[in-house]
Amino acid sequence: MATASASVSTVAVIPQARISKIGGGDRGVKSRISVVDGNLCRNNAITRKLCAPRTSLGVSASRRSWNGKKGSLRTHYSMKNEMLRNQALMFTDRLFPACPAGSFKQVCCYNIRRQRGSFVERLTTRYSTNRTTMDVLNNKSDRMFVKHHNVQCAAVGPDEPHAVSTTWPDATLEKQGVGVLDPEERSIGLEDFLSYELPSHPKLYRGQLENGLRYIILPNKVPPNRVEAHMEVHVGSVDEEEDEQGIAHMIEHVAFLGSKKREQLLGTGARSNAYTDFHHTVFHIHSPTSTKDSDGDLLPLVLDALNEITFNPKFLPSRVEKERRAILSELQMMNTIEYRVDCQLLRHLHSENKLGSRFPIGLEEQIKKWDVDIIRKFHERWYFPANCTLYIVGDITDISSTIYQIQAIFGQAGLQRETIASPSLPTEPNAFGAIAKFLVPKFSVGLGGSLSQEKLAIPDQAKFTKKERHAIRPPVSHNWSLPGINKVADPPRIFQHELLQHFSFNMFCKIPVKKVMTYSDLRNVLMKRIVLSALHFRINTRYKTSNPPFTSIELDHSDSDREGCAVTTLTVTAEPQNWDSAIKVAVHEVRRLKEFGVTKGELARYCEAVLKDSEHIAAMIDNVPSVDLLTFVMENDALGHKVMDQQQGHECMVAVAGTITLEEVNSISAELLEFIADFGKPSAPSPAAVVACVPKKVHIDGEGETEFKISSDEISAAIRAGLEAPIEAEPELEVPKDLITMPQLQELRLRRKPSFVPLDLESGSTKLYDKETGITQRRLSNGIPVNYKISHTENQTGVMRLIVSGGRAMESSEARGAVVVGVRTLSEGGRVGNFSREQVELFCVNHLINCSLDSTEEFICMEFRFTMRDNGMRAAFQLLHMVLERSVWLDDAFERARQVYLSYYRSIPKSLERSTVHRLVTAMLNGDERFVEPTPESLQNLTLQSVKDAVMSQFTASNMEVSVVGDFSDAEIESCILDYLGTVIATYDNVKEYNPCPIKFRPSPSDLHFQQVLLKDTDERACAYIAGPAPNRWGFTVEGHDLFESINTLSGINSLNRDWSYQRATTIRRKKRWTNIRSHPLFFGITMGLLAEIINSRLFTTVRDSLGLTYDVSFELSLFDRLKLGWYVISVTSTPAKVVKAVDACKNVLRGLHSNKVVERELDRAKRTLLMRHEADVKTNAYWLGLLAHLQAGSVPRKDISCIKDMMSLYEAATIEDIYLAYDQLKVDENHLYSCIGIAGAQTGQEISACELTHYLDLDALEDEGSFGVEHGVLPVGRGRTLTTRPTT
């Protein structure tokens, strides 16, 4: 569906650049954790299916407003040196408690050593928590006294930066120490201080069993009563022989889906999944610690399932064949143009080793021929305890009990008799096994009967086979990009393909990973962050012409434990006709930064931003989800970086921030950027690869599609031309402290007299507070309704959302695309009042504001994330006030927005999925352009005035609603509401009445119920979409029917509102479940959600697992709130030979709910899934912001506070009969169901009929086996994301 989305600010610390945006166009982003300094950060990464979760520091710029894409970097550099010293002393006292007061002062004359690669990470939007300011420019040399404590750590081997250590002592348990300082006081200088090791995470427990299995335990209570258990097997595609390409992934599938013990966990509310990459195979289970129906701890059952999956899989021929079919389908599903671009980039980046050619999905011809014996032999070769690491993070209260469970379940894994010849080592005594049985009671039944106390003892005649993993992971060698090697750079490589739409240029520098173990290492990380942040802001704000030469410019520096190296990447994307100018701009700006360095102002702003971001993250130490902590520990431990908690990381960051100087930062800058700025010079590092990905044809106005020609020499010439262009130093920019000054605010108050008015005439109350939910409702005298909730779960942060009813549905027939282009125009311009785009950017930087502006089919939304420190909430309200009252509409921003959507439209035919969806939606909605991308003709008809009118006509008081959630007080939030929302004139001066065309589904019958899209491609693959009408969330249909009238008549209920409100009160008094939810306004929202879970489960077990027709199939509902309609969509990927049969199977599942009745077990599982999701999400501000939406919106009259209060009880009360009431509202008959099949291959592009498609069918008999319900898991992220195998389920 067509939406407009634009980021409107900048991000704290480091712009949220893509880890390696390899390939053209924006793709979906997954949220991930990465840390070196203990500061957990959400890391948006684009490309990772095979390669790596990467920890990275990225910078990018694109044609967007108010920073367009990444996040905001806090700056405030007004504190005096004495204040700086006090801050530094405060944190030094915490780091070095034995230091005499005042003995630590900063040093300015530190000679930095050149690092050949250091850890860097990406940070996205984080918000600071106090006014800590470090003067990084005026440091004075002095001495300081410290204490040093030696703490035994599980060391990482000197040649093993990419795997958990092989040097841990057998049968040991180690709790990581907090300190890093010696008990003896001694005076040290700065260089001595920087050489000290960083502290270790105080709650992290490490251990190793006698059989070599390593384990890491980290207690964490978010979410409560849940635990994450991940088994990481250190084997992947680089370990395969030439005739085994893809076998590691095959074993992942067979072992995981063949486990009966894992299957038994599904009824407990557990979720599980698996994935494979270059040298890791990971099986993970997210489980409750206990359930109402269980007798005790579920963790032993979880570990027992992982034990079966990893060390005792059932290699049944039937399961092998079933997974072979699934993998072959997955292979075709993955083979998108993005996947092929990723493959090309990795082939050139790692041309000297297996990483460039050994992708985990494998080779089709080999996958087809492996038998059970071959698969089992690979498993025996690599699946042994010493080659595995178990990670457990969650609500663990008894570490000793958890260790005992690990020992009991995994202790005998890999045990072999002496009669078997093997290079075994003598068995060492178990350090804790002998006494563990006295610490915890005996295991209860439920672990397969194999865990009795009598069997825990290891027989004397048995030995463990002590196989060892590779010393270096991955086991490959690299050709490094280091200065002084005098290597002649390879000419740029070109990958050209007919499915590419944009030009992309990638320049790589590859160096060894530098472990972050000391304060000096952390200091280098900080300086790199400052450099890349400065570059991001410069590029993003400097180029704002009506036709800028680039779409985006990104500079990323990241460590990859999957690839075993650190990579710096310059990525440039552009329209093909502007490719040379885009390259010139990118290398020109890089050279300018390398030659002149950052300014004093930039250093101050971005150093301050790092510290404030770090402090905020430290304040969130008790609110980080276990899955994020586990990912953080896995990645940083594998890289050999010191693992710290957030508080330690912040204290260490503050300690090193006060020691950096402008000269040192610019030295780091020169080193980091040398491979680009000095390209072609003998002394400079040679790029590891330079790769351009380009289309075969481009659209030229007036000429149509023409051949696109480009050569390596032309690319090299463009690089040289950019480097030879004249450069000037960066000027300092003036940053506004406020967008609305205090005198201006006082004048506004006097003129407009803001106040709160009664919410309704009957009660006369101006404030409605609900004690159960903590929600407050207010209404301003200008008519704007406001909802807010005080929440302390996210310390010192807040979120705010403005929702304007209307959206694209309000576009007139003469101005199709006006709203979506108008919203993009507003965000592209980035100006408000008399403030330039640069000033607005820096205002957001200073106050750590992240703002986004979106348009959907029925709403325009503006969302803010802010910190409560330094008046961050007031700053966000100021920006909202200025957008509502003093937005500036610019011709050049309008032209950019129009070009963006023109490019979107022209790219549709080059994407199989997009072209298939586009044709389906166009057919189902009778050609209504408001639900797809606007056409070139529509875009041409738009003007700046028409798009401005289309957007601003919706900004009226009756159309708007503001919701705020955060860690504030009533006084703080109500002051901001009155000052900045109450003083808004909430009506656009040139309001124009729009009478939009009604939205209708295509009349039936129609010859467009079945359609096809054939896309010419070098490789074959297929997808299909099936859709049909549904009601909206509140029971209205496109024909205008109110479904509550019909179902309440059947139930004998006369009044919707009276009955549900009365029943709710009765239910609360009696503390019983709802007896009849059909009178509640959220009835259809609840039952449709449960129905979707049930249909998804059936689609998986039937179409994927039993029939083997697809790897990926899903059912989704689009239930609108304001519009009186909705629809469902089934998406399925397959092969051309099976896609028609897959579509028929999906239709049979969809229509088969009456012949194959829903049973109580299915409904209970759906309830558990949605309730657990709600329980986890309800602890976040963003989720509450969604719950608050439409509470006072006149366009959504049935939404009220009961819809939030009753949600959980409504889920619990839903019955199978209720599910069928919802199901009967879906139109699934042939007259209402639409389907479209897309096939890519060598065909010419001519459409074929359904009958002609049948020659693709695979007529082999497909066995029908039992079903295996599996929950969706988390896909790792990083460069090469499209290469990593998909989650097994």
Side-chain angles (χ1 to χ4, degrees):
M1 307 311 124
T3 61
S5 177
S7 247
V8 229
S9 94
T10 49
V11 189
V13 186
I14 290 309
Q16 183 181 325
R18 293 190 177 90
I19 224 143
S20 312
K21 184 175 174 273
I22 24 196
D26 291 344
R27 302 198 291 280
V29 180
K30 261 204 173 301
S31 196
R32 188 170 185 82
I33 284 245
S34 68
V35 168
V36 55
D37 53 18
N39 294 337
L40 294 176
C41 48
R42 287 277 173 197
N43 176 354
N44 276 349
I46 290 279
T47 53
R48 171 187 172 104
K49 290 258 166 56
L50 163 66
C51 282
R54 297 162 60 87
T55 46
S56 77
L57 177 69
V59 53
S60 69
S62 66
R63 302 186 305 186
R64 290 195 176 180
S65 68
W66 302 333
N67 179 1
K69 155 181 215 167
K70 310 305 176 194
S72 153
L73 295 166
R74 173 73 170 88
T75 177
H76 183 86
Y77 198 66
S78 59
M79 295 185 72
K80 297 181 180 180
N81 289 345
E82 187 61 32
M83 297 176 68
L84 160 70
R85 290 188 62 217
N86 292 337
Q87 292 282 1
L89 285 170
M90 177 183 70
F91 284 100
T92 304
D93 289 342
R94 297 174 68 178
L95 286 171
F96 313 106
C99 297
S103 61
F104 173 47
K105 298 178 182 178
Q106 286 74 39
V107 182
C108 66
C109 53
Y110 174 68
N111 293 323
I112 187 169
R113 295 173 296 175
R114 293 175 64 86
Q115 304 285 341
R116 297 303 177 220
S118 68
F119 174 86
V120 288
E121 59 177 325
R122 180 194 325 273
L123 287 180
T124 62
T125 310
R126 291 291 179 186
Y127 315 100
S128 68
T129 54
N130 81 358
R131 300 182 61 85
T132 306
T133 306
M134 305 299 294
D135 187 339
V136 295
L137 305 176
N138 299 293
N139 303 321
K140 298 181 180 180
S141 179
D142 212 324
R143 311 288 287 179
M144 67 179 179
F145 293 91
V146 301
K147 291 173 64 178
H148 182 78
H149 300 280
N150 290 317
V151 178
Q152 180 184 4
C153 295
V156 176
D159 297 321
E160 190 185 4
H162 312 295
V164 181
S165 169
T166 59
T167 62
W168 295 354
D170 287 347
T172 62
L173 166 68
E174 175 189 318
K175 179 177 179 179
Q176 297 301 301
V178 185
V180 293
L181 307 171
D182 203 355
E184 298 182 6
E185 285 189 2
R186 59 192 183 92
S187 177
I188 63 169
L190 177 61
E191 293 194 30
D192 292 326
F193 158 66
L194 294 175
S195 68
Y196 279 112
E197 272 199 17
L198 296 166
S200 297
H201 197 300
K203 296 182 180 179
L204 196 68
Y205 292 80
R206 303 174 186 268
Q208 183 172 2
L209 301 183
E210 292 184 30
N211 58 12
L213 177 72
R214 296 158 174 82
Y215 59 84
I216 294 177
I217 304 170
L218 180 58
N220 185 59
K221 291 188 177 296
V222 181
N225 305 314
R226 306 289 297 184
V227 66
E228 296 280 344
H230 290 212
M231 178 64 79
E232 184 178 37
V233 187
H234 299 274
V235 61
S237 58
V238 295
D239 300 300
E240 299 163 347
E241 301 296 337
E242 286 299 321
D243 59 350
E244 296 176 330
Q245 296 186 50
I247 199 168
H249 179 222
M250 170 75 86
I251 289 175
E252 171 223 307
H253 270 250
V254 176
F256 180 79
L257 287 170
S259 170
K260 296 297 183 182
K261 293 183 179 180
R262 179 200 60 80
E263 187 181 345
Q264 291 167 5
L265 285 171
L266 298 180
T268 67
R271 302 193 302 270
S272 57
N273 224 311
Y275 63 88
T276 305
D277 59 33
F278 280 135
H279 68 103
H280 295 89
T281 302
V282 178
F283 305 97
H284 52 93
I285 298 177
H286 172 83
S287 169
T289 54
S290 62
T291 64
K292 297 177 182 178
D293 302 327
S294 65
D295 296 331
D297 190 2
L298 280 181
L299 182 59
L301 298 178
V302 171
L303 299 180
D304 199 33
L306 287 175
N307 183 51
E308 180 182 63
I309 292 169
T310 310
F311 301 119
N312 301 292
K314 304 295 189 297
F315 291 117
L316 301 177
S318 59
R319 173 54 63 182
V320 170
E321 291 308 313
K322 184 176 293 188
E323 296 313 312
R324 193 194 313 274
R325 292 198 302 266
I327 291 169
L328 291 174
S329 177
E330 180 185 4
L331 189 151
Q332 290 206 338
M333 178 187 70
M334 288 178 64
N335 196 28
T336 62
I337 187 59
E338 291 82 10
Y339 173 87
R340 283 175 261 181
V341 166
D342 281 2
C343 289
Q344 289 294 323
L345 298 182
L346 286 168
R347 282 190 178 113
H348 296 299
L349 176 60
H350 301 298
S351 59
E352 73 276 20
N353 58 51
K354 285 185 178 181
L355 298 176
S357 59
R358 196 61 57 84
F359 305 132
I361 193 64
L363 300 178
E364 182 176 357
E365 60 273 17
Q366 294 189 19
I367 295 169
K368 289 179 177 179
K369 67 182 182 181
W370 298 318
D371 58 23
V372 170
D373 289 338
I374 294 174
I375 293 171
R376 183 180 288 111
K377 287 178 181 178
F378 187 89
H379 180 272
E380 291 173 352
R381 192 159 80 239
W382 293 106
Y383 278 65
F384 54 91
N387 201 39
C388 301
T389 305
L390 174 67
Y391 296 86
I392 301 176
V393 179
D395 195 355
I396 300 167
T397 57
D398 190 338
I399 297 295
S400 298
S401 176
T402 303
I403 294 166
Y404 173 66
Q405 292 165 358
I406 295 171
Q407 168 70 17
I409 294 169
F410 295 100
Q412 297 189 63
L415 184 65
Q416 297 186 9
R417 301 292 177 180
E418 284 184 330
T419 54
I420 301 177
S422 63
S424 60
L425 298 177
T427 303
E428 297 294 333
N430 189 327
F432 54 84
I435 63 170
K437 61 184 68 179
F438 298 106
L439 300 178
V440 294
K442 282 190 174 184
F443 275 102
S444 59
V445 185
L447 297 179
S450 62
L451 299 175
S452 64
Q453 295 288 342
E454 291 77 8
K455 292 187 177 182
L456 286 178
I458 299 173
D460 293 339
Q461 66 270 25
K463 302 283 186 179
F464 283 109
T465 303
K466 295 279 288 192
K467 299 178 182 178
E468 295 295 336
R469 69 183 75 178
H470 287 301
I472 297 178
R473 304 296 302 179
V476 299
S477 60
H478 294 279
N479 294 335
W480 303 121
S481 303
L482 299 174
I485 296 180
N486 295 324
K487 174 189 172 184
V488 178
D490 294 330
R493 307 295 184 180
I494 297 174
F495 172 61
Q496 197 163 19
H497 199 280
E498 56 266 20
L499 296 185
L500 287 174
Q501 172 75 7
H502 299 95
F503 169 89
S504 68
F505 166 85
N506 303 270
M507 197 172 189
F508 298 102
C509 177
K510 184 164 58 171
I511 59 177
V513 172
K514 176 64 172 68
K515 298 177 188 179
V516 177
M517 298 294 290
T518 68
Y519 287 90
S520 177
D521 301 329
L522 185 60
R523 189 171 182 261
N524 287 337
V525 171
L526 172 60
M527 290 190 284
K528 283 187 171 70
R529 292 183 188 176
I530 293 168
V531 171
L532 296 183
S533 299
L535 180 62
H536 159 76
F537 185 81
R538 289 183 182 186
I539 295 176
N540 193 55
T541 57
R542 180 178 297 276
Y543 298 91
K544 305 176 299 299
T545 62
S546 60
N547 187 23
F550 59 84
T551 302
S552 68
I553 296 175
E554 305 178 1
L555 186 64
D556 169 76
H557 183 96
S558 55
D559 295 340
S560 172
D561 62 323
R562 278 19 182 213
E563 297 167 79
C565 57
V567 180
T568 306
T569 310
L570 174 66
T571 302
V572 181
T573 59
E575 293 297 325
Q577 60 269 27
N578 298 327
W579 72 267
D580 54 343
S581 298
I583 291 179
K584 292 174 184 177
V585 166
V587 298
H588 178 265
E589 287 299 322
V590 168
R591 176 170 171 259
R592 195 162 70 93
L593 180 58
K594 191 253 182 183
E595 294 298 327
F596 292 107
V598 300
T599 68
K600 289 184 178 181
E602 288 172 327
L603 174 58
R605 281 195 295 271
Y606 304 129
C607 183
E608 177 76 1
V610 172
L611 295 179
K612 290 188 172 294
D613 182 85
S614 171
E615 184 176 16
H616 167 68
I617 296 170
M620 297 289 291
I621 189 170
D622 296 323
N623 295 288
V624 181
S626 293
V627 65
D628 292 343
L629 279 176
L630 189 146
T631 305
F632 151 57
V633 173
M634 285 181 68
E635 293 181 3
N636 289 279
D637 210 60
L639 286 161
H641 301 319
K642 181 69 72 170
V643 178
M644 297 185 284
D645 71 20
Q646 297 95 305
Q647 186 61 45
Q648 291 171 322
H650 173 59
E651 292 171 354
C652 294
M653 187 67 78
V654 171
V656 300
T659 70
I660 65 174
T661 67
L662 184 63
E663 292 75 16
E664 291 172 321
V665 170
N666 288 334
S667 176
I668 286 286
S669 172
E671 179 184 350
L672 182 67
L673 306 176
E674 187 179 11
F675 81 102
I676 302 169
D678 293 339
F679 175 76
K681 295 182 180 180
S683 60
S686 293
V690 179
V691 186
C693 301
V694 303
K696 284 192 173 181
K697 292 185 177 182
V698 295
H699 181 89
I700 304 297
D701 291 337
E703 299 180 20
E705 294 287 319
T706 61
E707 294 290 331
F708 181 70
K709 298 180 180 180
I710 190 173
S711 68
S712 297
D713 290 341
E714 290 175 310
I715 295 174
S716 297
I719 297 173
R720 289 192 294 269
L723 294 176
E724 292 168 0
I727 57 176
E728 296 179 356
E730 180 75 5
E732 293 283 10
L733 295 175
E734 181 181 352
V735 184
K737 183 178 179 181
D738 294 292
L739 298 181
I740 301 174
T741 64
M742 188 54 65
Q744 290 172 329
L745 180 60
Q746 291 172 349
E747 182 184 351
L748 284 171
R749 286 174 181 160
L750 290 173
R751 284 195 292 114
R752 297 178 181 173
K753 297 180 174 56
S755 63
F756 293 113
V757 298
L759 292 161
D760 59 77
L761 297 178
E762 294 181 5
S763 67
S765 173
T766 63
K767 184 174 184 178
L768 181 60
Y769 173 72
D770 183 78
K771 186 176 181 180
E772 187 176 340
T773 60
I775 294 172
T776 299
Q777 299 178 59
R778 289 282 217 171
R779 186 176 293 271
L780 288 161
S781 52
N782 58 12
I784 298 177
V786 182
N787 315 303
Y788 68 84
K789 174 179 169 59
I790 298 173
S791 172
H792 304 297
T793 56
E794 297 184 32
N795 188 41
Q796 292 295 302
T797 63
V799 291
M800 175 170 60
R801 179 183 294 157
L802 166 70
I803 297 179
V804 183
S805 294
R808 290 206 65 192
M810 298 300 293
E811 292 174 352
S812 66
S813 57
E814 298 80 20
R816 290 292 191 242
V819 171
V820 72
V821 175
V823 168
R824 182 78 185 212
T825 299
L826 185 59
S827 59
E828 285 282 342
R831 287 185 56 184
V832 292
N834 296 323
F835 298 103
S836 67
R837 172 175 171 162
E838 292 92 339
Q839 289 177 310
V840 175
E841 288 264 9
L842 288 176
F843 178 79
C844 292
V845 165
N846 279 2
H847 294 283
L848 284 181
I849 299 171
N850 182 32
C851 177
S852 63
L853 185 61
D854 304 322
S855 69
T856 67
E857 291 90 345
E858 50 181 358
F859 300 107
I860 296 173
C861 305
M862 192 169 190
E863 187 167 322
F864 300 81
R865 294 177 180 270
F866 52 84
T867 173
M868 290 302 301
R869 298 299 178 90
D870 298 331
N871 291 318
M873 183 167 68
R874 298 192 74 85
F877 270 90
Q878 287 181 20
L879 181 56
L880 176 58
H881 176 102
M882 296 295 287
V883 171
L884 293 176
E885 283 231 319
R886 303 187 63 189
S887 295
V888 179
W889 294 76
L890 303 172
D891 284 312
D892 60 345
F894 165 67
E895 187 59 34
R896 289 199 301 274
R898 186 161 58 177
Q899 289 299 320
V900 165
Y901 283 99
L902 185 62
S903 177
Y904 284 172
Y905 185 87
R906 288 172 177 165
S907 67
I908 292 174
K910 297 192 175 185
S911 167
L912 182 65
E913 289 77 15
R914 288 185 63 201
S915 56
T916 307
V917 168
H918 187 274
R919 180 164 295 189
L920 174 76
V921 174
T922 302
M924 182 173 67
L925 294 175
N926 204 23
D928 197 327
E929 196 178 310
R930 290 171 290 181
F931 295 87
V932 294
E933 286 83 354
T935 64
E937 293 77 14
S938 297
L939 292 170
Q940 189 61 38
N941 292 333
L942 298 176
T943 64
L944 177 62
Q945 188 62 46
S946 68
V947 301
K948 179 181 178 181
D949 290 343
V951 171
M952 297 308 293
S953 64
Q954 300 181 26
F955 280 74
T956 61
S958 60
N959 241 12
M960 294 193 292
E961 181 189 50
V962 175
S963 300
V964 195
V965 182
D967 188 11
F968 41 69
S969 67
D970 277 297
E972 289 173 325
I973 183 63
E974 297 202 348
S975 172
C976 287
I977 291 171
L978 285 171
D979 287 347
Y980 301 110
L981 286 180
T983 55
V984 167
I985 298 178
T987 303
Y988 179 49
D989 291 337
N990 299 321
V991 173
K992 176 182 177 182
E993 288 294 330
Y994 280 89
N995 295 308
C997 299
I999 299 167
K1000 295 181 179 180
F1001 288 97
R1002 184 178 295 274
S1004 298
S1006 168
D1007 57 356
L1008 298 180
H1009 282 288
F1010 173 83
Q1011 296 189 94
Q1012 323 87 39
V1013 171
L1014 294 185
L1015 185 65
K1016 189 174 182 180
D1017 192 2
T1018 54
D1019 300 333
E1020 286 191 349
R1021 60 192 188 92
C1023 68
Y1025 296 89
I1026 306 160
N1032 79 354
R1033 195 183 318 278
W1034 308 102
F1036 292 102
T1037 69
V1038 71
E1039 295 87 2
H1041 299 154
D1042 182 353
L1043 296 178
F1044 277 102
E1045 294 180 0
S1046 58
I1047 66 170
N1048 288 342
T1049 300
L1050 292 174
S1051 305
I1053 299 174
N1054 298 319
S1055 171
L1056 174 71
N1057 293 327
R1058 184 178 69 248
D1059 282 3
W1060 62 254
S1061 59
Y1062 169 78
Q1063 185 180 345
R1064 182 179 187 281
T1066 304
T1067 301
I1068 292 175
R1069 284 198 303 269
R1070 298 177 181 175
K1071 297 183 179 180
K1072 293 182 179 180
R1073 294 175 59 186
W1074 281 75
T1075 57
N1076 188 343
I1077 70 172
R1078 298 175 192 178
S1079 59
H1080 198 286
L1082 201 57
F1083 171 76
F1084 286 103
I1086 293 291
T1087 52
M1088 285 291 182
L1090 292 168
L1091 177 63
E1093 289 294 325
I1094 292 168
I1095 293 176
N1096 263 311
S1097 178
R1098 289 194 173 193
L1099 286 170
F1100 176 85
T1101 57
T1102 302
V1103 185
R1104 187 225 193 253
D1105 204 55
S1106 296
L1107 299 178
L1109 296 173
T1110 181
Y1111 180 80
D1112 187 33
V1113 59
S1114 66
F1115 173 89
E1116 294 183 8
L1117 282 164
S1118 293
L1119 303 180
F1120 292 109
D1121 287 288
R1122 190 182 68 82
L1123 301 178
K1124 293 183 178 180
L1125 80 158
W1127 57 70
Y1128 61 85
V1129 177
I1130 296 176
S1131 58
V1132 58
T1133 60
S1134 189
T1135 65
K1138 296 179 180 179
V1139 65
V1140 175
K1141 196 165 186 177
V1143 168
D1144 289 339
C1146 291
K1147 291 180 180 178
N1148 291 337
V1149 170
L1150 180 62
R1151 294 169 176 162
L1153 264 69
H1154 279 300
S1155 58
N1156 183 11
K1157 294 291 186 181
V1158 174
V1159 297
E1160 202 66 40
R1161 175 179 55 83
E1162 291 179 290
L1163 179 57
D1164 287 344
R1165 182 178 296 177
K1167 288 180 180 180
R1168 279 194 300 270
T1169 299
L1170 295 180
L1171 284 171
M1172 286 188 300
R1173 190 177 300 159
H1174 171 75
E1175 289 170 359
D1177 292 343
V1178 79
K1179 300 182 185 303
T1180 65
N1181 289 347
Y1183 185 68
W1184 272 107
L1185 201 61
L1187 294 178
L1188 291 178
H1190 316 311
L1191 272 181
Q1192 299 188 64
S1195 60
V1196 188
R1198 287 184 175 168
K1199 173 74 177 282
D1200 68 6
I1201 197 73
S1202 72
C1203 297
I1204 302 173
K1205 298 165 73 168
D1206 302 337
M1207 187 180 301
M1208 295 186 69
S1209 59
L1210 291 172
Y1211 276 127
E1212 293 172 348
T1215 65
I1216 291 177
E1217 291 75 16
D1218 295 325
I1219 300 303
Y1220 275 100
L1221 272 177
Y1223 173 65
D1224 289 340
Q1225 310 313 316
L1226 302 183
K1227 306 253 182 105
V1228 298
D1229 59 281
E1230 287 294 342
N1231 288 334
H1232 291 92
L1233 188 146
Y1234 290 81
S1235 61
C1236 187
I1237 290 175
I1239 295 179
Q1243 292 87 355
T1244 62
Q1246 295 178 344
E1247 292 189 359
I1248 58 178
S1249 68
C1251 295
E1252 291 173 316
L1253 277 174
T1254 57
H1255 80 274
Y1256 286 114
L1257 289 178
D1258 181 359
L1259 301 178
D1260 295 338
L1262 298 174
E1263 60 190 15
D1264 185 6
E1265 297 188 4
S1267 64
F1268 300 85
V1270 186
E1271 300 294 335
H1272 289 281
V1274 177
L1275 182 67
V1277 292
R1279 183 182 54 247
R1281 173 179 171 270
T1282 61
L1283 303 179
T1284 302
T1285 63
R1286 299 293 179 99
T1288 299
T1289 57

